[in-house]
């Protein structure tokens, strides 16, 4: 279900006639005149029977009379039908009528009679029976065509009947509002008529009582007696409500959802709030912030409406980014920042209902939202994307960990589409027949809205004719909590992010995600460096954390810059912070003073901010080329730019290596890497480069005879070749081995992508293959250059905007076994997928019974499967400007998230004047005994719960889908520990013994742990 966009699209799609009519004036809410829901109309028995009336009679001839319209109903026909039905209910016309207007079928009307005005939607006179126009002329009846402009139609009929003068031309706002209410009554009567028909109760409306109240009210209006006119109107609306209650005597709930966007102009809240009728705003916190800045008076009205109980705000996040493609910590920041902004601008309130206009659904939403205090959810997307739709209006939406949110699932009707007005009674009848709680959501922007919506809203101000209008919060409170749950798998959600980015002419639709992941990993690494530098004894805490005093941006400011999308500024800030805190941590590890020992010597401290043990490749500044393996140093090699070293570093730990070779050199190690022809090899991986293509011919484990994986570059969408899709050919032009050990083996292939139909060179490429000794990852750097204009035009053409996966330059992976299972990482957990379009910025794991091969994307999020044996990783699509990309391949890794962390997390190197540290050349600061549990964040807390001293905050997530008890050990013994939600409220106190804290996790559970160390 696709909701309408902010701008109207096509004829009748927006409320073009509403602009001609003008926004209806708000109902007069004075106690003696406005609608009073608790006040009953005067009983009919007290009325004096009216004398017979003379005058014209209005008859509306409409299509689909008492029949459900097709879903493809045109908006212009629906708008004209609405005007046809409602215009005769203007009080100036009713006061000159012999009866209330009738509705007849356009295809089978009764013969025309004298003094009748028969109104037909514009452009549909030909649907009348043959000779009907002649019959009308002979009978003295008038046939009019009605366009979508109701005000113009009312004026035309007024001229025909001579309805001029007071009060028709009055500029009294009260009289104008009452006239608009009569018109809304006509719309309500039409909808109740269709609703009764849909429910099998065609004669539900008491036509005699309705006529009496309507005509008496019109006469009072004509006499400028507004109080009497309004009271009669109220009674007429009550007649319609009683008709609905005959076949549905309990509440049907209408939930009005107004979408707010940060880009909307100031004052956008005015229209939706004018009606003083229950409404819920779906607004990210940034939209509330924008309205607060541009329209403080409007926001004050919103706060007052929330206080009075007829408005609320649903949202949850600060902005509406591509949650499924973001690192978990970025998602948590969005919720955290959103809660702060909501509280700042809504009188210290936070939202209770998770909802987004832009697609943001994924399986972990209930878990994350609940940990930030949200209780309900709108399980819908209002722009694009695919998500599961249930037949019932409510269920408990459950995350993999068992957390759930009471959620509304019913897709809304578009209240800015004229056609939806004709469908509304039938949708309402369906929910009344089939649902335990009749529920009908409406969705729209503040403006424009459909004309029928304004009428229905005015009607609800008098009486719940069609149903009871409620806010989202009231809907959840007034209806029973469901007991059924539903737990969609990740494949149930397909995001629209790439298509949207191309439509917006984003110049980094693919690489933006990769850059964000790299920067986020750098920021999280900086948070760990800072936490350890402040927590290890010997560094003042918390005063040592004053970054501003040292001219540095705060980590919080750098995080805000990153999540706002300013990647260049964020990169500079994170780099400066990382260098500063790595230096501080190196000092803390070394101790307060220089190491006074004959063994002390200069060296390098390599830091590992990742929660996985790593064999990292680092560059050592100013190191001599003759470093021998010693302690954590596995190998070194002089290359362009310095000395490259491979160092073993514990998870969340450090390793110290000397800056110069020792007096007694170590024995020469066995060669770990080698290059033989086009075959590169280290201790665990063997890679063969294809001679003709320059791509990967085979990736396999050492000792295997069958390739696990192959790779080429392809440009899709070239057209047809012998009635088959034409795909570019990858042709090698050169190959050379750049380095052949002892630490690094690296080779480079260069070539072109050509069109197979004529040999046109479409692009040039350079692929660099890199294996480090002992490191279980093949690193692949891809650079694209000189893309031909013809290829660019195809990638930016109209077809590519609709299906960018089919018109992109991609890295194609292939494997031999069509029965392989394909799993993608979703927030660190590997989930089976059968989708054609695969979204994951982390890894795809290709598994057989005995082998697991992980393709690591480094933040590149968009992929497309071809059959059962191939996967394309998109590199260039649309207006993408990036031309350099890094990917990786890892063999037989049980938990693929570890490869992503290894690729993205930096390993800072700090030059030290003395060493090794007192603890030894290698050590850990935090240790986790469960490899299936990922640590996504470590930070320093100046105070911990209940005003306890300083400590650390750790975020954990279980990734294997099994319950787990993990022991988190720290460099010093904790004095207290607790698990909290993301608002800081205690979930439970945790057991600790010695240097370890025990944490029990359910499958896929996220946990925030506070540990007091001070």
């Amino acid at each position: 279900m696709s909701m309408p966009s902010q701008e109207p699209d096509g004829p009748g799609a927006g409320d073009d006639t509403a602009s001609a009519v003008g926004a209806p004036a708000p109902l007069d809410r004075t106690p003696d005149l406005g609608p009073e829901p608790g006040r009953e109309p005067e009983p009919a028995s007290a009325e004096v029977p009216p004398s017979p009336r003379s005058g014209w009679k209005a008859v509306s001839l409409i299509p689909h009379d008492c029949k459900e319209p097709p879903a493809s109903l045109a908006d212009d026909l629906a708008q004209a039908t609405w005007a046809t039905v409602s215009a005769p209910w203007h009080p100036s016309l009713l006061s000159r009528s012999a009866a209330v207007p009738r509705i007849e079928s356009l295809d089978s009307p009764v013969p025309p009679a004298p003094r009748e005005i028969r109104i037909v939607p514009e452009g549909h006179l030909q649907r009348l029976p043959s000779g009907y126009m002649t019959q009308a002329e002979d009978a003295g009846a008038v046939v009019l065509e009605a366009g979508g402009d109701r005000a113009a139609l009312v004026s035309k009929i007024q001229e025909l009947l001579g309805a001029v003068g007071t009060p028709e031309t009055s500029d009294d706002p009260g009289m104008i509002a009452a006239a608009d209410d009569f018109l809304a009554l006509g719309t309500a009567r039409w909808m109740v008529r269709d609703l009764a028909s849909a429910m099998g109760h065609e004669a539900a409306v008491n036509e005699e009582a309705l006529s009496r109240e309507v005509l008496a009210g019109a006469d009072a209006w004509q006499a400028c007696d507004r109080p009497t006119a309004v009271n009669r109107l109220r009674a007429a609306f009550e007649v319609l409500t009683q008709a609905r209650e005959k076949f549905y005597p309990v509440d049907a709930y209408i939930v009005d959802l107004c979408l707010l966007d940060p880009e909307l102009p100031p004052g956008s809240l005015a229209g939706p709030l004018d009606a003083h009728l229950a409404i819920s705003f779906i607004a990210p916190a940034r939209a509330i912030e924008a309205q607060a800045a541009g329209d403080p008076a409007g926001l004050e009205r919103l706060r007052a409406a929330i206080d009075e109980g007829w408005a609320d705000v649903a949202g949850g996040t600060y902005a509406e980014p591509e949650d499924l493609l973001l690192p978990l910590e970025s998602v948590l920041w969005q919720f955290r920042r959103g809660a702060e902004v909501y509280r700042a601008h809504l009188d210290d309130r936070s939202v209770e209902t998770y909802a987004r206009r832009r697609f943001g659904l994924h399986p972990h939403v209930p878990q994350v939202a609940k940990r930030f205090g949200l209780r309900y959810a709108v399980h819908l997307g209002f722009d694009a994307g695919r998500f599961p739709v249930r037949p019932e209006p409510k269920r408990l939406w459950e995350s993999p960990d068992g957390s759930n949110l009471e959620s509304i699932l019913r897709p809304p009707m578009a209240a800015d589409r004229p056609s939806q007005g004709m469908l509304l009674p039938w949708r309402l009848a369906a929910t009344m027949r089939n649902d335990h709680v009749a529920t009908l959501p409406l969705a729209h922007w503040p403006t424009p809205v459909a004309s029928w919506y304004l009428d229905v809203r005015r009607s609800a101000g008098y009486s719940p004719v069609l149903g009871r209008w409620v806010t989202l919060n009231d809907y959840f409170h007034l209806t029973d909590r469901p007991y059924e749950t539903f737990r969609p798998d990740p494949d149930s959600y397909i995001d629209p992010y790439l298509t949207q980015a191309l439509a917006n002419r984003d110049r980094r639709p693919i690489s933006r995600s990769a850059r964000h992941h790299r920067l986020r990993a750098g920021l999280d690494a900086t948070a760990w460096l800072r936490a350890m530098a402040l927590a290890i004894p010997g560094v003042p805490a918390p005063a040592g954390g004053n970054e501003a005093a040292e001219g540095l941006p705060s980590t919080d400011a750098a995080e805000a810059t990153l999540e706002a999308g300013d990647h260049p500024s964020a990169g500079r800030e994170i780099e400066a912070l990382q260098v500063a805190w790595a230096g501080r941590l190196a000092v803390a590890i070394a101790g307060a003073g220089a190491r006074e020992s004959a063994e002390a010597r200069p060296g390098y401290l390599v830091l590992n901010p990742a929660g996985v043990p790593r064999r990292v490749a680092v560059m050592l500044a100013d190191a001599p080329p003759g470093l021998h393996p010693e302690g954590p140093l596995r190998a070194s090699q002089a290359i362009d730019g310095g000395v490259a070293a491979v160092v073993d570093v514990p998870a969340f730990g450090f390793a110290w290596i000397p800056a110069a070779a020792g007096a007694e050199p170590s024995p020469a190690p066995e060669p770990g890497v080698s290059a033989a022809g086009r075959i590169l090899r280290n201790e665990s991986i063997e890679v063969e480069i294809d001679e003709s293509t320059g791509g990967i011919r085979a990736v396999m484990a050492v000792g295997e005879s069958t390739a696990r994986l192959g790779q080429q570059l392809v440009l899709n969408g070239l057209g047809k070749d012998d009635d088959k899709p034409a795909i570019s050919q990858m042709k090698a032009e050169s190959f050379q081995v750049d380095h052949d050990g002892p630490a690094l083996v690296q080779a480079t292939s260069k070539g072109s992508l050509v069109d197979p139909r004529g040999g046109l060179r479409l692009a040039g490429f350079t692929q660099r293959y890199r294996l480090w000794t002992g490191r279980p990852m093949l690193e692949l750097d891809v650079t694209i250059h000189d893309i031909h204009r013809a290829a660019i035009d195809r990638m930016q053409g109209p077809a590519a905007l609709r299906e960018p996966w089919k018109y992109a330059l991609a890295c194609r992976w292939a494997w031999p076994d069509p029965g392989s299972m394909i799993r993608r990482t979703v927030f660190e957990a590997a989930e089976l997928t059968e989708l054609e379009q695969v979204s994951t910025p982390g890894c795809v794991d290709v598994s057989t019974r005995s082998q697991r091969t992980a393709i690591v994307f480094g933040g590149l999020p968009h992929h497309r499967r071809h059959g059962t044996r191939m996967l394309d990783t998109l590199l260039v699509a649309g207006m993408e400007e990036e031309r350099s990309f890094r990917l990786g391949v890892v063999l037989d890794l049980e938990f693929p998230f570890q490869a992503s962390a290894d690729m993205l997390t930096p390993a800072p190197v700090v030059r030290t004047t003395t060493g090794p540290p007192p603890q030894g050349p290698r050590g850990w600061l935090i240790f986790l005994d469960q490899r299936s549990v990922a640590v996504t964040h470590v930070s320093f807390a100046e105070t911990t719960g209940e005003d306890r001293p300083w400590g650390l905050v750790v975020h954990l997530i279980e990734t294997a889908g099994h319950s787990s008890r993990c022991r988190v050990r720290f460099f010093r013994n904790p004095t207290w520990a607790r698990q909290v939600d993301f608002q800081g409220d205690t979930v439970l106190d945790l057991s600790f013994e010695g240097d370890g804290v025990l944490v029990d996790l359910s499958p896929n559970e996220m946990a925030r742990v506070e540990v007091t160390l001070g």
Side-chain angles (χ1 to χ4, degrees), residues 163-457:
V164 294
T166 303
E168 286 83 359
T169 56
S170 169
D171 57 359
D172 179 3
M175 296 298 290
I176 296 172
D180 288 337
D181 293 344
F182 274 96
L183 294 169
L185 178 65
T187 300
R189 189 257 196 164
W190 168 44
M191 290 188 173
V192 169
R193 185 172 180 268
D194 273 8
L195 177 62
S197 179
M199 297 291 290
H201 290 75
E202 286 79 0
V205 178
N206 185 338
E207 297 291 350
E208 180 181 354
L210 180 65
S211 296
R212 179 177 61 249
E213 301 297 344
V214 169
L215 296 176
D219 291 342
W221 184 89
Q222 187 68 30
C224 296
D225 184 359
R226 182 172 177 272
T228 300
V230 170
N231 284 334
R232 293 291 188 172
L233 266 173
R234 186 183 304 110
F237 277 112
E238 190 61 32
V239 170
L240 295 180
T241 302
Q242 291 171 358
R244 191 261 299 165
E245 290 176 343
K246 289 180 181 179
F247 51 82
Y248 198 79
V250 296
D251 282 328
Y253 294 101
I254 298 176
V255 186
D256 189 14
L257 307 176
C258 182
L259 309 177
L260 289 184
D261 186 86
E263 304 305 321
L264 288 176
S268 296
L269 293 169
L273 293 175
D274 281 346
H276 291 262
L277 195 66
I279 189 168
S280 296
F281 293 93
I282 293 182
R286 184 165 163 253
I288 298 297
E289 187 177 61
Q291 290 299 315
D295 183 20
L299 197 70
E300 180 58 38
R301 289 184 62 193
L302 175 59
R303 286 193 289 264
I306 295 173
D307 288 339
E308 294 166 11
W310 55 270
D312 69 2
V313 175
T317 56
Y318 176 65
E320 293 184 327
E322 300 87 348
D323 276 8
L324 195 60
L325 308 183
L326 290 178
L328 176 58
E329 290 302 317
S330 289
V331 174
L332 298 182
W333 182 90
Q334 289 288 338
F335 276 89
R336 185 168 62 251
R337 177 60 181 156
E340 293 170 356
V341 172
Y342 286 126
R343 286 193 294 268
H345 296 293
L346 298 179
D347 290 340
D348 206 32
R349 297 185 187 89
S350 192
V351 298
E352 287 191 302
T353 304
Y354 173 84
R356 282 177 50 136
R357 176 196 65 82
R358 193 180 183 207
F359 186 88
L361 303 175
H362 55 82
H364 290 277
V365 164
Q367 178 177 192
V368 177
K370 196 159 191 175
R371 280 158 173 73
F372 278 96
L374 281 81
R375 302 170 60 191
Y376 313 110
V378 177
H379 185 266
L380 299 168
F382 293 88
D383 57 350
R386 194 186 80 179
F387 54 91
V389 176
R390 302 285 307 179
E392 58 275 356
K394 287 177 66 179
R395 269 209 176 187
L396 296 178
W397 177 16
E398 191 171 73
S399 276
D401 75 313
S403 302
N404 61 66
L405 294 175
E406 187 177 349
S407 302
I408 185 170
L409 313 176
R410 177 62 43 82
M413 301 192 73
D416 56 357
R417 292 285 305 280
S419 60
Q420 298 293 288
M422 291 184 66
L423 293 169
L424 185 145
W426 303 91
R427 284 278 301 274
L428 190 56
T431 185
M432 287 177 173
R433 289 192 305 266
N434 302 327
D435 297 329
H436 178 66
V437 177
T439 304
L440 184 66
L442 307 176
H444 56 90
W445 292 99
T447 184
V449 291
S451 305
W452 63 263
Y453 165 79
L454 297 173
D455 281 354
V456 170
R457 192 171 68 173

Side-chain angles (χ1 to χ4, degrees), residues 801-1000:
L801 295 180
R802 295 189 299 270
E803 297 181 293
W805 296 268
K806 297 181 180 180
Y807 296 86
L809 197 156
C811 180
R812 175 164 294 178
W813 310 93
W815 51 91
D817 188 352
S820 298
M821 291 192 306
I822 308 301
R823 301 185 304 158
R824 57 168 170 159
T825 53
V826 179
F827 292 136
E828 315 301 350
E831 303 283 357
L832 188 68
T833 182
E834 296 181 353
L835 292 176
E836 177 185 355
Q837 297 166 12
V838 180
S839 293
T840 176
C843 305
V844 160
D845 187 68
V846 183
S847 302
T848 65
R849 289 187 176 182
S850 59
Q851 298 175 340
R852 300 184 66 169
T853 305
I855 307 169
V856 189
F857 303 122
L860 296 172
H862 302 295
H863 320 276
R864 181 185 180 220
R865 291 178 68 175
H866 293 269
T868 57
R869 294 181 49 250
M870 290 189 292
L871 177 80
D872 283 0
T873 297
L874 273 60
L875 304 179
V876 180
M879 301 183 71
E880 176 62 60
E881 294 180 339
E882 184 60 52
R883 295 294 183 262
S884 296
F885 311 90
R886 172 164 290 187
L887 303 104
V889 177
V890 178
L891 304 184
D892 301 321
L893 186 63
E894 185 177 3
F895 303 107
F897 78 86
Q898 296 176 341
S900 290
D902 189 14
M903 172 180 278
L904 293 171
T905 306
V909 179
V910 180
R911 183 72 183 262
T912 64
T913 57
T914 62
Q919 305 91 330
R922 180 165 38 198
W924 55 262
L925 303 175
I926 301 175
F927 178 80
L928 200 68
D929 66 354
Q930 285 289 344
R931 293 187 301 150
S932 64
V933 177
V935 180
T936 62
H937 175 77
V938 178
S939 60
F940 181 83
E942 295 188 3
T943 60
T944 48
E946 301 178 7
D947 295 327
R948 287 180 169 86
W950 62 267
L952 299 177
V953 175
V954 181
H955 292 176
L956 309 172
I957 181 169
E958 200 286 323
T959 69
H962 305 296
S963 296
S964 174
R965 166 169 281 195
C966 63
R967 180 182 176 90
V968 188
R969 299 174 64 192
F970 297 89
F971 62 90
R972 63 183 297 173
N973 292 352
T975 60
W976 186 68
R978 65 171 183 161
Q979 184 175 338
V980 298
D981 61 20
F982 289 115
Q983 300 181 100
D985 296 329
T986 300
V987 176
L988 74 161
D989 291 340
L990 298 174
S991 301
F992 56 92
E993 181 179 356
D995 63 0
V997 175
L998 294 178
V999 184
D1000 291 319

Side-chain angles (χ1 to χ4, degrees), residues 749-820:
S749 66
K750 297 182 179 181
S752 301
L753 300 180
V754 299
D755 191 327
R757 298 167 299 180
L760 177 66
R761 187 178 190 269
L762 299 170
F765 71 85
T766 300
Q767 292 204 155
R768 185 163 288 113
Y769 311 93
R770 190 180 300 112
L771 290 173
W772 297 89
T773 182
R775 183 168 164 79
M777 177 184 290
L778 165 66
E779 298 175 4
L780 172 61
D781 291 345
V782 179
T783 301
I784 309 297
H785 55 86
D786 300 331
I787 301 179
H788 194 277
R789 185 71 245 179
I792 293 176
D793 290 343
R794 283 189 174 275
M795 288 190 288
Q796 298 178 3
L801 295 180
R802 295 189 299 270
E803 297 181 293
W805 296 268
K806 297 181 180 180
Y807 296 86
L809 197 156
C811 180
R812 175 164 294 178
W813 310 93
W815 51 91
D817 188 352
S820 298

Side-chain angles (χ1 to χ4, degrees), residues 65 137 400 444 706:
D65 178 37
E137 185 177 356
H444 56 90
T706 303

